Amino acid sequence: SVLVCLRLLPNVLLTSVGGVIADSHDRRVVMLVLDCVGACVALLFIFAYWLKSINAIYFVNVLQMIVASIYEPNRSSIVTQLVKDEEGLKKANIINGLAWSSMTAVGSCIGGFAAARFGIPICFCIDSLTYIMSASLVWLISGEYKVSKTATEEEVESSSFSLLKQFTTMTRDGVCYLASNCWGVFALFKFCSALVFGAADVLNVSFAERGNGADLDGSSERLGLIFASVGLGCFVAPLVFDYFTRMENPESLERSCLASYMLMAIGCFGMSVVTSFTEIYWCTAIRAGGSSVLWIYSSLLLQKFCS
């Protein structure tokens, strides 16, 4: 539980900082730098594992989530600069969600079996390589993706242009902007979809340890399969909902968000009553599918209405 809290805390505290950085720096450059930092942080897990220090593991997890918290606003906001038309923006967000879910499914299976067969350090080496691959792909993107004006040297040196000042000002302006628009409530969709994340991660570990009695053999493989079910649900659900939604019809996006709550409720209820691992697998997939639909279509609503 402590580990889950530490992994979620940077998202709560630093995502808005990532937004400030995304609005004041070249988003492509920020993503490139953070991918390189992420590759180094992944290797730090190996040292924490060798030290067998729980505090070191906590520390590296926080570092990893700090990188992720700052990276995500830059990644999501650069999409609107790469894709201009609304229907293309919808497809881009769905493709992005499908890519995440595919890698969750494939990566979880690889991680679970690699941990059981080759050891945990190998998993983190693979993880580090994926960051390098991401940086290589970002490097191939051409152009400049900075939305703010270029500051003069005097402005940069001025305290009014400090990061803390920008964070305070832009956070206040963002809250006022949401409050002044009737669609501002859509921002709560993403908040609601994230409420289950921490509890689900804790439960996944418990579900994976359900072997024969106290036998924990195969728990790594089972945990990998559970996370693979998350990827499966996140992959299939947006594809199904795509047939019933149109960017020019915001009501269809809103109905999809409401339907996603039902999927999440069904999945969570099923996880609370079933006993076999197979049933847990499919209930997790249903729950994750609802979360994925809510995450993607709430993003589309914000991108459509936010000027």
Side-chain angles (χ1 to χ4, degrees):
S1 299
V2 173
L3 180 60
V4 171
C5 291
L6 289 175
R7 288 184 64 84
L8 292 177
L9 196 60
N11 284 308
V12 176
L13 299 178
L14 297 177
T15 299
S16 55
V17 176
V20 171
I21 294 175
D23 287 340
S24 56
H25 295 79
D26 190 319
R27 294 163 178 173
R28 172 180 170 273
V29 174
V30 173
M31 290 171 63
L32 186 61
V33 171
L34 290 176
D35 272 329
C36 294
V37 174
C40 297
V41 172
L43 294 177
L44 290 178
F45 277 101
I46 299 177
F47 292 101
Y49 176 74
W50 284 341
L51 290 174
K52 300 188 184 301
S53 169
I54 188 64
N55 291 328
I57 293 175
Y58 287 160
F59 176 72
V60 179
N61 269 279
V62 170
L63 286 181
Q64 185 182 53
M65 294 313 299
I66 287 174
V67 172
S69 300
I70 298 175
Y71 188 94
E72 176 58 25
N74 288 273
R75 184 207 57 76
S76 58
S77 58
I78 200 174
V79 174
T80 58
Q81 293 180 283
L82 292 170
V83 183
K84 300 300 182 182
D85 63 287
E86 287 190 342
E87 200 59 34
L89 185 62
K90 175 191 172 186
K91 295 184 183 301
N93 277 276
I94 292 177
I95 290 173
N96 181 59
L98 294 180
W100 180 89
S101 58
S102 300
M103 290 304 99
T104 299
V106 176
S108 297
C109 287
I110 293 175
F113 286 101
R117 300 295 191 276
F118 307 110
I120 292 176
I122 296 297
C123 295
F124 293 121
C125 290
I126 297 173
D127 191 21
S128 181
L129 288 175
T130 62
Y131 280 99
I132 298 300
M133 292 173 61
S134 175
S136 301
L137 294 174
V138 172
W139 178 264
L140 295 177
I141 300 175
S142 59
E144 183 175 332
Y145 299 90
K146 185 176 181 179
V147 295
S148 64
K149 68 181 183 67
T150 303
T152 64
E153 292 184 2
E154 290 78 15
E155 288 175 327
V156 172
E157 294 174 357
S158 172
S159 60
S160 62
F161 276 78
S162 66
L163 182 61
L164 179 60
K165 179 72 173 181
Q166 290 184 49
F167 170 72
T168 304
T169 302
M170 296 179 75
T171 299
R172 184 186 66 245
D173 293 344
V175 172
C176 293
Y177 182 63
L178 290 175
S180 64
N181 289 274
C182 61
W183 52 263
V185 69
F186 292 148
L188 297 177
F189 275 148
K190 300 183 85 67
F191 169 78
C192 293
S193 69
L195 287 176
V196 73
F197 292 168
D201 286 342
V202 175
L203 289 173
N204 287 341
V205 176
S206 177
F207 292 149
E209 292 176 348
R210 289 185 180 180
N212 297 321
D215 183 14
L216 298 182
D217 288 345
S219 61
S220 295
E221 289 95 332
R222 287 193 294 272
L223 184 60
L225 288 173
I226 289 176
F227 280 107
S229 72
V230 173
L232 177 65
C234 292
F235 184 89
V236 174
L239 289 177
V240 174
F241 277 75
D242 181 49
Y243 288 101
F244 305 100
T245 57
R246 294 291 181 271
M247 282 295 288
E248 61 271 14
N249 182 14
E251 289 79 9
S252 67
L253 304 179
E254 295 172 11
R255 286 194 295 269
S256 295
C257 290
L258 294 176
S260 70
Y261 284 118
M262 183 176 296
L263 286 179
M264 293 171 64
I266 292 173
C268 290
F269 176 77
M271 292 166 63
S272 68
V273 297
V274 300
T275 55
S276 72
F277 180 79
T278 302
E279 292 170 328
I280 291 173
Y281 182 94
W282 290 112
C283 289
T284 299
I286 294 172
R287 190 270 305 167
S291 294
S292 177
V293 169
L294 184 56
W295 188 269
I296 290 175
Y297 286 98
S298 62
S299 296
L300 289 173
L301 285 168
L302 290 174
Q303 291 170 349
K304 179 176 177 64
F305 291 108
C306 184
S307 60

